[in-house]
């Protein structure tokens, strides 16, 4: 009686081939992989894997502050997060100040795209080349939009723009192809968009709103619809980002959470002690180039009584690097590093936090 041939497994492959497979696996799955076998645990923790990861394409993290002086013509200041001797620092970047920086924003490759008007409806598209620092105007959209209330996302290298009109208005979805520098229409959708908290996960654009999370699928859902109302969550999101295809958001009351796309619910991160990982007063966050979550907040100087020092005219920008690990159906977070990365005037407000290709 013949026996079925043994099933192929990673353990039967040479270590160098397994390492080249593992380098493509998101870091947050390394904990789960390490539970499979001692050999895989050793490879996941090996310096050879870290060396291979260092050869992957890198991203730079650009941060933009808006100088809020009560004037309609606000100025903007860009910084780049760089490694320093004892941690990280935000170094000023000589990008030109431009009024479009207040619009909805998305990065593709080394370019940052600013879509619509920052205060009034506009069809404008402006493109910042982060390598040269040049700002150029792109082709106009068909529909005027207020960029601050338009949702944007990148799917298959193309930029999808929706909303930006009146509240709950049916408005044309437009798609921009950076390769051909052309716009095309993609149907009409009713977008309940009142903030800029949108991001792309698993080929879909997620819009995180007060009381609900909506998702736009350009390929259509099970019943053919493209716009689907998802989880009802009575809280306001202030910032969103995607780390290794997982959506994170910081809410007013709930704090930092991630969205479980398998069951369509928001879930809390778990700390090393098994309790909820609490991060407060998050002003901006993004994916770091090594697959960790980078979080920014402010530390305002206080006097001897713990009260805000009215004589101070600056505030410190604190940065945290958070490792993420999948553990079953949970995501565990661990703060690897925390420190002051910049000191800015009190009237600087966090606006953008964008990873772009180097």
């Amino acid at each position: 009686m013949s026996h079925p041939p043994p099933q192929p497994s990673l353990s039967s492959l040479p270590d160098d081939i397994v390492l080249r497979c593992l380098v493509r696996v998101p870091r947050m799955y390394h904990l789960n992989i390490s539970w499979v076998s001692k050999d895989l645990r050793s490879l996941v923790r090996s310096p050879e894997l870290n060396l291979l990861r260092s050869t992957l394409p890198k991203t730079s993290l650009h941060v933009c502050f808006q100088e809020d002086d009560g004037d309609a013509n606000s100025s903007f200041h860009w910084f780049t997060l760089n490694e320093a001797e004892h941690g990280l620092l935000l170094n000023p970047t000589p990008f030109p100040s431009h009024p479009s920086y207040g619009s909805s924003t998305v990065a593709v490759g080394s370019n940052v795209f600013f879509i619509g008007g920052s205060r009034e409806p506009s069809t404008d598209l402006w493109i910042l080349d982060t390598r040269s620092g040049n700002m150029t105007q792109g082709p106009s959209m068909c529909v005027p939009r207020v960029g601050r209330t338009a949702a944007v996302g990148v799917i298959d290298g193309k930029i999808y723009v929706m909303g930006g009109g009146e509240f709950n208005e049916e408005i044309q979805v437009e798609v921009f192809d950076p390769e051909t520098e052309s716009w095309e229409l993609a149907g009409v959708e009713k977008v309940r968009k009142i903030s800029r908290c949108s991001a792309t996960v698993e080929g879909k654009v997620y819009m995180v709103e007060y009381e609900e999370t909506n998702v736009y699928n350009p390929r259509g859902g099970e019943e053919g619809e493209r716009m689907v109302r998802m989880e009802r969550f009575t809280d306001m999101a202030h910032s969103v980002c995607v780390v290794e295809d997982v959506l994170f958001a910081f809410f007013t009351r709930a704090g930092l959470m991630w969205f479980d796309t398998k069951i369509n619910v928001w879930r809390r991160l778990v700390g090393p002690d098994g309790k909820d990982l609490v991060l407060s007063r998050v002003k901006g966050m993004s994916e770091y180039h090594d697959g960790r979550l980078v979080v920014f907040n402010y530390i305002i100087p206080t006097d001897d009584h713990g009260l805000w020092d009215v004589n101070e005219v600056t505030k410190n920008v604190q940065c945290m690097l958070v490792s993420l690990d999948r553990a079953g159906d949970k995501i565990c977070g661990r703060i690897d590093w925390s420190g002051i990365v910049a000191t800015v005037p009190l009237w600087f407000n966090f606006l953008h936090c964008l990873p772009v290709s180097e």
Side-chain angles (χ1 to χ4, degrees):
M1 180 178 180
S2 61
H3 295 281
Q7 294 295 317
S9 66
L10 282 176
S11 60
S12 64
L13 298 174
D15 284 355
D16 61 332
I17 295 179
V18 177
L19 284 169
R20 292 186 182 278
C21 295
L22 291 175
V23 77
R24 301 293 176 180
V25 177
R27 287 177 62 105
M28 69 172 64
Y29 289 95
H30 285 187
L31 180 60
N32 280 347
I33 292 174
S34 69
W35 292 341
V36 175
S37 69
K38 291 182 178 180
D39 289 340
L40 283 176
R41 184 183 308 123
S42 176
L43 290 175
V44 162
R45 298 174 179 176
S46 69
E48 289 81 8
L49 182 59
N50 289 330
L51 182 62
L52 276 177
R53 279 190 167 274
S54 69
T55 65
L56 296 176
K58 291 289 194 304
T59 59
S60 294
L61 191 61
H62 294 288
V63 174
C64 181
F65 293 93
Q66 182 175 6
E67 187 173 350
D68 185 11
D69 56 5
D71 190 346
N73 298 316
S74 298
S75 59
F76 302 88
H77 305 267
W78 287 89
F79 294 77
T80 304
L81 187 66
N82 294 319
E83 294 183 0
E85 183 178 358
H86 300 293
L88 300 172
L89 286 177
L90 279 176
N91 295 320
T93 307
F95 293 153
S97 187
H98 196 280
S100 66
Y101 289 154
S103 307
S104 285
T105 307
V106 69
V108 180
S110 61
N111 292 333
V112 180
F113 296 81
F114 303 93
I115 300 161
S118 59
R119 299 178 184 272
E120 300 295 331
S122 171
T123 59
D124 283 354
L125 170 68
W126 287 89
I127 306 169
L128 172 64
D129 183 340
T130 58
R131 290 175 177 169
S132 66
N134 294 331
M135 188 80 160
T136 58
Q137 188 164 17
S140 298
M141 293 182 289
C142 298
V143 180
R145 306 173 194 269
V146 179
R148 287 179 179 271
T149 59
V152 295
V154 180
I155 302 174
D156 297 330
K158 296 182 179 180
I159 301 172
Y160 284 74
V161 185
M162 57 208 75
E166 296 295 327
F167 177 77
N168 222 28
E169 175 190 15
E170 286 193 348
I171 190 169
Q172 187 74 51
V173 177
E174 295 187 68
V175 183
F176 181 72
D177 187 341
E179 294 293 329
T180 62
E181 295 189 344
S182 60
W183 289 96
E184 62 180 26
L185 302 177
V188 175
E189 297 289 346
K190 181 178 288 189
V191 180
R192 182 186 180 272
K193 193 75 182 67
I194 57 176
S195 73
R196 294 180 299 178
C197 291
S198 58
T200 305
V201 177
E202 300 173 353
K204 305 169 187 176
V205 181
Y206 283 76
M207 290 155 279
V208 187
E209 300 299 334
Y210 179 69
E211 292 188 337
E212 67 183 38
T213 299
N214 301 324
V215 61
Y216 174 80
N217 183 356
R219 299 172 181 83
E222 295 180 356
E223 299 180 5
E225 73 279 12
R226 293 183 176 181
M227 186 70 70
V228 179
R229 270 61 177 170
M230 307 290 279
E231 165 78 348
R232 295 192 64 84
F233 190 70
T234 309
D235 207 341
M236 176 65 77
H238 296 277
S239 181
V240 298
C241 74
V242 176
V243 179
E244 295 184 329
D245 221 23
V246 176
L247 178 65
F248 292 85
F250 182 77
F251 293 93
T252 301
R253 295 188 297 273
L256 183 62
M257 305 190 76
W258 65 279
F259 193 72
D260 189 334
T261 57
K262 292 182 179 179
I263 55 177
N264 295 325
V265 297
W266 286 101
R267 308 186 68 163
R268 297 182 186 276
L269 273 84
V270 178
D273 58 358
K275 299 179 181 179
D276 293 344
L277 180 66
V278 179
L279 298 176
S280 59
R281 302 187 305 277
V282 173
K283 299 301 180 183
M285 56 187 185
S286 176
E287 181 175 17
Y288 197 51
H289 64 74
D290 61 0
R292 287 183 289 183
L293 173 69
V294 58
V295 176
F296 295 97
N297 59 22
Y298 296 136
I299 297 178
I300 298 177
T302 57
D303 58 21
D304 295 337
H305 303 287
L307 302 175
W308 173 48
D309 190 343
V310 295
N311 296 315
E312 283 288 345
V313 294
T314 62
K315 58 188 174 185
N316 293 323
V317 181
Q318 184 184 42
C319 173
M320 288 177 281
L321 288 178
V322 183
S323 289
L324 303 167
D325 289 302
R326 286 272 190 179
D329 60 354
K330 299 179 180 180
I331 294 183
C332 301
R334 182 184 69 251
I335 300 174
D336 294 333
W337 182 86
S338 177
I340 303 301
V341 292
T343 300
V344 299
L346 276 175
W347 48 89
F348 274 31
N349 290 321
F350 216 99
L351 189 59
H352 301 304
C353 186
L354 298 164
V356 300
S357 300
E358 293 183 351

